[in-house]
Amino acid sequence: MTTAKTAITPPTHTAPPARFSHGVRKGAILQVAGQVGFLPAIEGRPPTPAGPTLRAQVLQTLANVQSVLEAGGASWEDAVMVRVYLTDTAHFAEFNELYDAYFAALTEPPAARTTVYVGLPAGLLVEIDAMAVLA
Amino acid sequence: MTTAKTAITPPTHTAPPARFSHGVRKGAILQVAGQVGFLPAIEGRPPTPAGPTLRAQVLQTLANVQSVLEAGGASWEDAVMVRVYLTDTAHFAEFNELYDAYFAALTEPPAARTTVYVGLPAGLLVEIDAMAVLA
Amino acid sequence: MTTAKTAITPPTHTAPPARFSHGVRKGAILQVAGQVGFLPAIEGRPPTPAGPTLRAQVLQTLANVQSVLEAGGASWEDAVMVRVYLTDTAHFAEFNELYDAYFAALTEPPAARTTVYVGLPAGLLVEIDAMAVLA
């Protein structure tokens, strides 16, 4: 017998472009799907990324991950893994600075990895997914 | 003290080309290794991908993930994360249509992300891994 | 109510270049961040990758993952997923040989997947992350 799976959709989020959930909670696991830097959804407006700077988009992407964590009853303190996907190796250094500052207050940051690849839709510079444990 | 780890190999599957398991169950976690679109294994025949269309290969790949989930006592309803790897950004739109149709009946689809990269062996267009929670 | 998260830093490891943990334990999950082939840290010397062969760097990378697993109270037997990132498709065959030999003694190897991408810092040929379940 297994527990039910609960889909998590923060009110700030646009509907997913395909059949997936922004977040899922099952048992002790809260999985956040890959988030990008879209601004909070506005009825009737297409999804719009924060920008134009890398900084604005990274901070919005982290905020979007946090929204899913919080809508699922978790916080960054519960995150055990963060996966970061960049589109350009030239963004590594600035991204790391932004990431460090964002997590400066966490006593024990999540594990993490960064992959550079070129597959994001036009205008998107970064994608981040995360897994949290609530147990 | 920890529970035993159980390797999962569906009867339809070819032996892994390296020392990994198609699936692993330990505690509440069922992890499915990256699956590709090979047709059910036939003794004496090398692994053969479904095809030649993207559609045929995507559906076979999803069926192969499902075989591992089911051999481990789980279903798509238990999956919390699905990671999809494509080889060509031009496949995004068609892939999303196939994926949506495949999961149309799920009330709460898993979280997911899609990465485009070019590292799959010749003839393979897609790879999918998944994590399920049985707890 | 949730259990505390514990960061894991083996004594052989250099400080992470950004705000992440080499490993994190929370509840039943032990997540190992992406490890590369740096030799054990020496005070005052910058991180230095094993080499120059792929073999030396792969074995060091696997040893570094193992150090985090062990510092967290786990072993490879507890690992359910290993994610491998290579920088060159030409390394696939040799990598698989090394990986198979390394895990020859495991009765039930973890699930795994290999992604080729080109985003590692200069001199690094491989990165590996892993998730273990202690429950």
Side-chain angles (χ1 to χ4, degrees):
Chain A
M1 186 165 46
T2 63
T3 56
K5 182 169 65 177
T6 306
I8 299 162
T9 308
T12 51
H13 274 51
T14 51
R19 194 141 178 78
F20 67 86
S21 302
H22 284 300
V24 170
R25 170 80 190 271
K26 189 160 194 288
I29 301 294
L30 194 167
Q31 176 70 52
V32 181
Q35 300 292 306
V36 294
F38 288 141
L39 293 164
I42 294 179
E43 186 75 31
R45 196 176 71 170
T48 307
T53 62
L54 178 65
R55 174 189 175 81
Q57 198 168 123
V58 166
L59 294 179
Q60 184 64 53
T61 302
L62 288 164
N64 289 344
V65 175
Q66 186 174 327
S67 293
V68 181
L69 289 170
E70 290 176 353
S75 75
W76 284 112
E77 294 287 351
D78 302 306
V80 297
M81 187 62 163
V82 174
R83 292 181 190 274
V84 177
Y85 305 85
L86 296 173
T87 51
D88 189 334
T89 51
H91 293 164
F92 257 135
E94 184 181 352
F95 176 81
N96 281 348
E97 276 179 43
L98 293 164
Y99 191 87
D100 284 6
Y102 188 84
F103 288 117
L106 279 191
T107 49
E108 296 186 338
R113 82 173 311 285
T114 303
T115 301
V116 173
Y117 83 109
V118 294
L120 293 180
L124 297 177
L125 306 173
V126 59
E127 182 172 339
I128 301 178
D129 64 53
M131 188 175 84
V133 177
L134 286 159
Chain B
M1 185 165 49
T2 63
T3 56
K5 183 168 66 177
T6 307
I8 298 163
T9 307
T12 50
H13 274 50
T14 52
R19 194 139 178 82
F20 67 86
S21 302
H22 283 299
V24 170
R25 169 81 190 271
K26 189 160 194 289
I29 301 293
L30 193 167
Q31 176 70 53
V32 180
Q35 299 292 307
V36 293
F38 288 141
L39 295 163
I42 294 178
E43 185 77 29
R45 197 177 69 169
T48 306
T53 62
L54 178 66
R55 174 189 174 79
Q57 200 169 122
V58 166
L59 294 178
Q60 184 63 53
T61 301
L62 287 164
N64 289 345
V65 175
Q66 186 173 327
S67 293
V68 180
L69 288 170
E70 290 176 352
S75 76
W76 284 111
E77 295 287 351
D78 302 306
V80 296
M81 187 62 163
V82 174
R83 292 182 190 274
V84 177
Y85 305 84
L86 296 173
T87 51
D88 190 335
T89 50
H91 293 165
F92 257 135
E94 184 181 353
F95 176 82
N96 280 350
E97 276 180 40
L98 294 165
Y99 191 87
D100 283 6
Y102 189 83
F103 288 115
L106 279 191
T107 49
E108 296 187 338
R113 81 172 311 286
T114 303
T115 301
V116 172
Y117 83 109
V118 295
L120 292 181
L124 298 178
L125 306 174
V126 58
E127 182 172 339
I128 301 177
D129 64 53
M131 188 174 84
V133 177
L134 287 159
Chain C
M1 188 165 46
T2 62
T3 56
K5 182 169 65 177
T6 307
I8 299 163
T9 307
T12 50
H13 274 50
T14 51
R19 195 142 177 79
F20 67 85
S21 302
H22 284 300
V24 170
R25 170 81 189 273
K26 190 161 192 290
I29 302 293
L30 193 167
Q31 177 69 53
V32 181
Q35 300 292 307
V36 294
F38 288 141
L39 294 163
I42 294 177
E43 185 76 29
R45 196 177 70 170
T48 306
T53 62
L54 178 66
R55 174 189 174 80
Q57 199 169 121
V58 166
L59 295 179
Q60 184 64 52
T61 302
L62 288 164
N64 289 345
V65 175
Q66 186 174 327
S67 293
V68 181
L69 288 170
E70 290 176 353
S75 75
W76 284 112
E77 294 287 352
D78 301 307
V80 297
M81 187 61 163
V82 174
R83 293 182 189 272
V84 177
Y85 306 84
L86 296 173
T87 51
D88 189 334
T89 49
H91 293 164
F92 257 134
E94 184 181 353
F95 177 81
N96 281 349
E97 276 179 41
L98 293 165
Y99 191 86
D100 285 6
Y102 188 83
F103 288 115
L106 279 191
T107 48
E108 297 187 338
R113 81 172 311 287
T114 303
T115 301
V116 172
Y117 83 110
V118 295
L120 293 181
L124 298 178
L125 306 173
V126 60
E127 182 172 340
I128 300 177
D129 64 52
M131 188 175 84
V133 177
L134 287 159

